[in-house]
């Protein structure tokens, strides 16, 4: 069993349909939260917008159940918190000379060069008790990967020539999530998280394309606003803030 910090608990399965689904189920049954759920493989893993998530054995599939982690208006900041924690965890388990290849793509994809190695899916549900359950689902390609994920080419950590054990990675992830959640402090510490995130992001100051439900926006990734939204400088000199959408570098767009 993995070593966890503080009050966090952990349940592990060889196979599960979805770690997120299980976490939401036990939340509805009254679980107090701070619960990690991991699985060796998933039969019904999913990514953003219901897209399937490749869930082969040898990778990390983990979901963290939180109860009332922040006011509703600030829960949208959790992707930044989670991405920084994942980035830190991966840096812990690969040799120092490889860490420069790891970066974050807004808001919470983690890349190896320009290839996706991690996806993060947040789901929430209001409980009958009046509390809010939030699940942070994290999938990291340690040893296998699909050809593409969410429009990006994908890879896995073992392609670097250095094998990463999912359990070892999970222990570092649990540590960094607890530490970054404490720093974030329900939204009060967003400024520190924002600076941490910006130090790890790929594409700052470079052209990007934001795919939104009804349009495609081209511009330059200029900054994050104080709420974690992506500020784009448009060709006409105006600025636009993106809070939800898929963002790509033009050369990786498909």
């Amino acid at each position: 069993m993995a070593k966890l910090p503080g009050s966090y608990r952990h349940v592990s399965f060889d196979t599960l349909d979805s770690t997120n689904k299980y976490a939401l189920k036990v939340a509805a049954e009254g679980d107090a939260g701070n619960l990690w759920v991991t699985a060796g493989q998933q039969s019904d893993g999913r990514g953003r917008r219901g897209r399937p998530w490749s869930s082969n054995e040898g990778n990390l599939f983990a979901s963290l159940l939180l109860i009332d982690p922040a006011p509703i208006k600030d829960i949208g900041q959790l992707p930044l918190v989670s991405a920084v924690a994942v980035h830190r965890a991966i840096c812990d388990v690969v040799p120092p000379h490889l860490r420069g290849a790891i970066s974050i793509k807004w808001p919470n994809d983690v890349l190896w060069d320009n290839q996706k190695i991690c996806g993060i899916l947040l789901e929430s549900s209001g409980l009958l008790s009046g509390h809010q359950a939030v699940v942070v689902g994290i999938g990291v390609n340690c040893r296998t990967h699909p050809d593409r994920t969410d429009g990006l080419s994908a890879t896995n950590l073992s392609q670097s020539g250095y094998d990463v054990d999912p359990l070892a990675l999970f222990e570092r992830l649990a540590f960094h999530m607890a530490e970054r959640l404490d720093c974030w402090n329900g939204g009060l510490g967003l400024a520190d998280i924002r600076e941490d995130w910006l130090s790890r992001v790929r594409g700052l100051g470079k052209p990007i394309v934001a795919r939104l439900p009804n349009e495609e926006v081209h511009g330059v990734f200029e900054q994050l606003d104080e709420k974690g939204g992506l500020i784009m400088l448009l060709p006409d000199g105006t600025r636009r803030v993106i809070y939800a959408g898929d963002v790509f570098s033009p050369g990786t767009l498909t």
Side-chain angles (χ1 to χ4, degrees):
M1 186 63 68
K3 298 176 183 178
L4 298 185
S7 62
Y8 289 83
R9 297 169 293 125
H10 178 211
V11 292
S12 177
F13 299 88
D14 291 334
T15 301
L16 198 62
D17 54 355
S18 162
T19 56
N20 267 30
K21 189 183 296 184
Y22 180 90
L24 288 170
K25 178 180 79 72
V26 297
E29 295 169 351
D31 191 277
N34 282 9
L35 175 70
W36 280 102
V37 182
T38 61
Q41 56 186 340
Q42 297 179 120
S43 59
D44 189 28
R46 61 188 187 275
R48 290 196 301 269
R49 299 176 184 170
R51 298 163 179 157
W53 181 264
S54 178
S55 300
N56 296 324
E57 190 173 3
N59 294 335
L60 175 62
F61 311 109
S63 295
L64 175 60
L65 170 63
L66 302 169
I67 304 296
D68 296 331
I72 296 294
K73 66 181 179 63
D74 295 325
I75 285 176
Q77 301 166 10
L78 268 171
L80 305 182
V81 181
S82 306
V84 167
V86 171
H87 189 284
R88 285 172 170 243
I90 293 173
C91 285
D92 281 356
V93 297
V94 300
H97 70 278
L98 296 177
R99 293 170 186 167
I102 307 163
S103 63
I104 297 171
K105 180 178 79 68
W106 187 88
N108 59 3
D109 287 336
V110 182
L111 309 180
W112 187 282
D113 291 330
N114 282 318
Q115 297 179 294
K116 186 166 177 174
I117 54 171
C118 172
I120 300 174
L121 174 66
L122 270 75
E123 296 184 286
S124 63
S125 176
L127 304 176
L128 292 178
S129 62
H131 295 287
Q132 188 78 10
V134 180
V135 176
V136 183
I138 298 167
V140 182
N141 299 333
C142 295
R143 293 170 175 160
T144 67
H145 65 276
D147 290 335
R148 301 192 71 80
T149 301
D150 294 341
L152 286 173
S153 63
T155 190
N156 67 75
L157 292 172
S158 70
Q159 296 291 100
S160 68
Y162 184 80
D163 184 59
V164 172
D165 176 67
L167 178 59
L169 177 58
F170 171 63
E171 288 186 347
R172 299 313 302 160
L173 173 62
F175 171 82
H176 285 296
M177 277 293 293
E179 192 275 332
R180 291 291 83 190
L181 284 168
D182 284 347
C183 176
W184 178 55
N185 192 21
L188 297 177
L190 178 62
D192 288 337
I193 295 296
R194 178 178 173 274
E195 290 305 310
D196 195 359
W197 187 94
L198 284 167
S199 73
R200 302 167 191 273
V201 72
R202 177 176 294 270
L204 190 65
K206 297 180 180 179
I208 56 170
V209 180
R211 280 185 171 171
L212 309 180
N214 299 309
E215 61 179 323
E216 195 170 273
V217 181
H218 294 250
V220 171
F221 179 8
E222 189 173 59
Q223 190 54 276
L224 288 187
D225 75 359
E226 69 281 358
K227 297 179 181 178
L230 185 151
I231 302 175
M232 291 183 69
L233 177 64
L234 305 185
D236 64 2
T238 62
R239 289 173 174 82
R240 181 165 176 179
V241 183
I242 306 295
Y243 289 106
D246 291 325
V247 172
F248 301 87
S249 298
T252 64
L253 195 59
T254 60

